[in-house]
Amino acid sequence: MRRGEWMWRMWRWRLSGRGAGLGVGVGFRPEWLGELMLQRGEVDFLEVTIEHFVGGVPERQGELDLLGRHFPLIPHGLNLSLGSAEGVDEGHLERVAEVVQRVGPWWWSEHVAWTRAGGVEMGHLSPLPWTGEALRVLVRNIRRVGERIPFPLILENITANWVLPGAEMSEPEFLRRLVEETGCGLLLDITNLHINACNHGFDARRFVDALPLERVVQLHFVGCEERDGRLHDAHATDMSPPLWELLDHVLAAAPVRGAILERDERIPPLGEVLGDLRRAREMGRKYGRWS
């Protein structure tokens, strides 16, 4: 049995005793802290951005512990730069490990992307070429991360402002080979997929159907914006009908265990997004995705 397949089976065995799944939640934003405490029955779990809690700052660690007493937490990383040819930054990996271990989550997530090259931080999630060499780099770096962080890792698709030349396979095939080699699951960002499909002219549903759907563990969803004839992932608007339709298509096909609504800009009161949480929760229940 391949190493990745063995790891995936072990992960599925660990999760099998934890019920149908986490449900529907939000990416934590400090502006929502008070409302979250009052609306605990409306939010099933929280996603916490790892980089917001690194460094051992007592106030942030206290906030993380407070959230963990009231909600299941899923850590979400931004800056491990898993696609960097020079390897992961060991100092940052240690800081990420401290946060993940403090939470003790069902799983945690990072991106299929790179953010650092030649020791320079780009400050942006950048796309990879769909090549065998890029795949080997990712697999090597993910295995190093797995040696330090003994919690299941799931990998997120990003938006791409451009398509890199020289592809040797499609993105779904790249993701399939990636999870087979590493034993990771997938975090499918519905909005990122919709944006890429519209901007680069491919069919989002066919993309979904070509994925290893049994590996889709979690979803992200939020609205997107159109500027100058292109869609952008500002994470600042409500869901549109095409996004709800794509979300429904994924929930019907994949054994999703959790979905997170992201809002990063123009953050409204929490009460204004609860309707979207309820709608997504009912959509998942229709397909038996969570209780």
Side-chain angles (χ1 to χ4, degrees):
M1 184 185 301
R2 298 172 65 177
R3 175 179 176 178
E5 180 63 23
W6 178 83
M7 292 176 64
W8 175 249
R9 290 189 182 187
M10 287 295 294
W11 181 18
R12 289 183 62 186
W13 178 79
R14 288 174 60 184
L15 291 180
S16 65
R18 290 191 159 185
L22 287 173
V24 180
V26 296
F28 172 68
R29 299 295 174 261
E31 297 92 329
W32 286 344
L33 179 58
E35 288 181 278
L36 282 167
M37 294 300 111
L38 296 174
Q39 299 282 0
R40 292 196 296 272
E42 294 276 5
V43 179
D44 300 325
F45 73 110
L46 299 176
E47 186 178 76
V48 291
T49 301
I50 292 172
E51 282 76 7
H52 294 173
F53 295 94
V54 299
V57 178
E59 292 80 5
R60 299 313 306 270
Q61 291 183 341
E63 184 176 66
L64 190 64
D65 293 342
L66 172 65
L67 295 172
R69 288 195 292 271
H70 295 283
F71 300 93
L73 302 181
I74 297 297
H76 182 55
L78 300 176
N79 206 33
L80 264 178
S81 196
L82 294 174
S84 287
E86 65 225 56
V88 295
D89 181 290
E90 292 291 332
H92 188 60
L93 174 58
E94 186 64 27
R95 293 187 289 271
V96 169
E98 290 174 358
V99 174
V100 176
Q101 289 168 342
R102 190 178 189 94
V103 171
W106 287 33
W107 61 79
W108 67 287
S109 58
E110 247 287 356
H111 298 83
V112 179
W114 62 278
T115 61
R116 187 185 70 260
V120 177
E121 297 293 339
M122 303 296 293
H124 188 272
L125 294 165
S126 298
L128 296 167
W130 310 128
T131 64
E133 180 59 28
L135 180 64
R136 286 189 287 274
V137 167
L138 271 170
V139 170
R140 181 197 67 203
N141 290 341
I142 289 168
R143 286 178 176 171
R144 170 62 193 123
V145 169
E147 292 171 354
R148 181 61 186 87
I149 303 177
F151 292 91
L153 172 62
I154 64 175
L155 303 167
E156 180 180 357
N157 57 301
I158 69 167
T159 54
N161 291 328
W162 57 86
V163 176
L164 294 174
E168 299 169 357
M169 65 195 84
S170 67
E171 184 177 357
E173 176 60 21
F174 186 94
L175 294 175
R176 178 182 296 277
R177 291 178 58 181
L178 178 61
V179 298
E180 288 175 350
E181 290 288 334
T182 61
C184 292
L186 292 175
L187 192 178
L188 182 59
D189 191 306
I190 298 296
T191 308
N192 290 352
L193 172 55
H194 174 72
I195 290 170
N196 287 344
C198 291
N199 288 348
H200 303 306
F202 64 86
D203 188 305
R205 292 194 178 202
R206 289 188 177 182
F207 183 106
V208 169
D209 295 341
L211 289 172
L213 290 171
E214 72 282 359
R215 297 291 185 100
V216 179
V217 175
Q218 184 188 322
L219 307 177
H220 277 169
F221 66 102
V222 69
C224 55
E225 296 180 324
E226 182 176 350
R227 297 195 298 269
D228 300 322
R230 292 175 63 86
L231 298 182
H232 296 267
D233 61 340
H235 293 178
T237 60
D238 295 333
M239 292 276 284
S240 62
L243 284 164
W244 283 117
E245 292 168 6
L246 184 57
L247 178 62
D248 185 79
H249 181 75
V250 174
L251 287 170
V256 178
R257 300 179 68 88
I260 285 289
L261 173 66
E262 296 185 295
R263 286 299 289 261
D264 293 334
E265 298 179 13
R266 300 200 295 274
I267 299 174
L270 180 65
E272 294 185 15
V273 304
L274 293 181
D276 281 356
L277 294 191
R278 297 181 191 123
R279 181 173 178 177
R281 187 178 295 113
E282 288 305 313
M283 290 171 66
R285 285 175 175 168
K286 178 174 64 173
Y287 299 111
R289 298 308 176 207
W290 35 73
S291 58

